[in-house]
């Protein structure tokens, strides 16, 4: 009398994990996460770039540890960019992403500065000449934030930009402020 219900229950347990696995295989993930990173030093960035010393760099950084200072000063950032060895801490991660068509790329700015995640035909310079190491500004970054097309690709500190509807093929993205921040998205 008690055997039938327990068998049904057992069968249910066997079928259910199989069904879950089939769904996981058939439906591609809808979001792929990218992070934008930087280690701006609020003490040097804000007096130079923020209005009356407030607000531009919102980074929470570790200062004055005995053996290491994790932040990058404005002079260090500009000096390294001009020397052609830009700070690798200003970065999109991962560097490359392969996604099925229909996936939204969600870029979260976990750094202290604003960035842009701008699709370009060819990598090149951004709209801040001092950071370009002589590369001309790419057309997609022209005009900076006065250009609505560029402003729409801006990611403010702590916020997220979703890029949906990417066609199949290779897509190149870069930051229009820090042009060495580059990543490739391949849509299959
Ligand atoms: Cu940037």
């Amino acid at each position: 009398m008690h055997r039938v219900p327990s068998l049904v229950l057992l069968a249910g347990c066997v079928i259910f994990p199989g069904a879950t696995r089939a769904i996981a295989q058939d439906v591609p993930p809808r979001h792929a996460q990218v992070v934008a990173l930087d280690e701006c030093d609020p003490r040097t960035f804000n007096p130079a770039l923020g209005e009356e010393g407030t607000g531009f760099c919102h980074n929470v950084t570790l200062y004055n540890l005995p053996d290491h200072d994790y932040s990058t000063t404005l002079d260090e950032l500009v000096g390294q960019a001009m020397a052609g060895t830009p700070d690798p801490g200003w970065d999109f991660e991962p560097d490359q992403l392969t996604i099925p068509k229909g996936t939204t790329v969600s870029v979260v700015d976990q750094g202290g500065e604003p960035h842009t995640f701008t699709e370009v035909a060819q990598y090149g310079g951004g709209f801040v000449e001092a950071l370009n190491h002589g590369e001309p500004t790419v057309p997609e970054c022209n005009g900076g934030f006065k250009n609505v097309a560029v402003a729409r690709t801006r990611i403010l500190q702590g916020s997220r930009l979703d890029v949906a509807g990417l066609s199949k093929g290779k897509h190149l993205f870069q930051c229009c402020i820090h042009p060495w921040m580059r990543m490739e998205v391949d849509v299959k």
Side-chain angles (χ1 to χ4, degrees):
M1 284 291 273
H2 293 288
R3 289 182 82 96
V4 172
S6 66
L7 267 177
V8 169
L9 199 67
L10 188 68
C13 288
V14 171
I15 290 164
F16 191 67
T20 308
R21 200 157 46 242
I23 289 165
Q25 283 169 352
D26 292 347
V27 180
R30 307 306 291 174
H31 283 262
Q33 199 192 56
V34 173
V35 292
L37 302 168
D38 69 68
E39 288 300 343
C40 61
D41 165 36
R43 298 169 304 180
T44 54
F45 276 69
N46 290 346
L49 301 173
E51 273 177 51
E52 298 173 356
T54 60
F56 188 84
C57 172
H58 295 186
N59 199 19
V60 176
T61 189
L62 295 168
Y63 296 128
N64 304 328
L65 295 182
D67 54 350
H68 197 81
D69 185 338
Y70 286 90
S71 62
T72 302
T73 66
L74 183 60
D75 282 351
E76 285 167 349
L77 183 79
V78 175
Q80 287 166 5
M82 283 181 149
T85 52
D87 192 315
W90 265 247
D91 194 22
F92 293 120
E93 281 293 336
D95 298 326
Q96 187 275 339
L97 196 60
T98 302
I99 54 172
K101 195 171 186 301
T103 305
T104 297
V105 178
S106 296
V107 190
V108 176
D109 186 351
Q110 296 185 344
E113 277 202 69
H115 297 283
T116 82
F117 191 71
T118 309
E119 183 162 9
V120 296
Q122 300 280 322
Y123 291 131
F127 63 79
V128 181
E129 213 182 310
L131 299 178
N132 282 350
H133 194 237
E135 282 192 87
T137 303
V138 294
E140 295 89 344
C141 293
N142 245 331
F145 294 137
K146 281 182 286 187
N147 177 350
V148 177
V150 178
R152 286 179 60 213
T153 66
R154 173 167 47 185
I155 327 165
L156 294 178
Q157 302 91 325
S159 69
R160 188 179 95 189
L161 178 78
D162 285 341
V163 180
L166 288 174
S167 59
K168 280 191 182 178
K170 180 159 106 171
H171 297 265
L172 305 180
F173 292 90
Q174 73 168 67
C175 178
C176 284
I177 305 170
H178 317 96
W180 63 92
M181 296 177 67
R182 297 173 176 182
M183 87 166 281
E184 180 181 321
V185 179
D186 297 297
V187 182
K188 299 292 178 195

